[in-house]
Amino acid sequence: MESTTSKCVMVLDENLPLGLLANTAAILGITLGKHMPEAVGADVLDGSGKAHLGIIMFPVPILRGDAEQIRAIRETLYGCNAPNSFVYNAV
């Protein structure tokens, strides 16, 4: 994914409980890192000097949607054969 021309976003089912939303976002983040290892940056230090491993090089907004919105996004992505896209319908 070219960060100057492409964007990454997660759209999660707004009806999932908070724990499942967090778990889903974490798992999708790991999947993103596996499929796009170049997106994982170098380790960085915070203001107190503590290291944080492999911070991603671009923001990944997490949005909510209902089942119909997620289904429509899924169909759009599959219909246009969007490169570097992966869509999960249910957890």
Side-chain angles (χ1 to χ4, degrees):
M1 183 172 92
E2 181 63 41
S3 63
T4 59
T5 59
S6 300
K7 302 295 178 202
C8 180
V9 62
M10 291 185 197
V11 182
L12 303 181
D13 187 333
E14 64 189 359
N15 295 309
L16 289 175
L18 183 57
L20 283 177
L21 285 170
N23 191 12
T24 301
I27 290 170
L28 291 176
I30 292 168
T31 301
L32 178 64
K34 177 179 174 24
H35 287 280
M36 298 179 60
E38 70 280 0
V40 180
D43 298 352
V44 297
L45 300 178
D46 65 19
S48 67
K50 303 285 187 216
H52 297 273
L53 306 177
I55 300 298
I56 195 163
M57 303 297 292
F58 50 83
V60 181
I62 300 175
L63 306 176
R64 64 183 180 177
D66 61 30
E68 187 55 41
Q69 290 169 319
I70 293 170
R71 189 175 299 110
I73 292 167
R74 181 180 168 93
E75 292 302 317
T76 298
L77 289 174
Y78 285 142
C80 69
N81 294 318
N84 295 320
S85 65
F86 52 97
V87 182
Y88 298 94
N89 196 31
V91 179

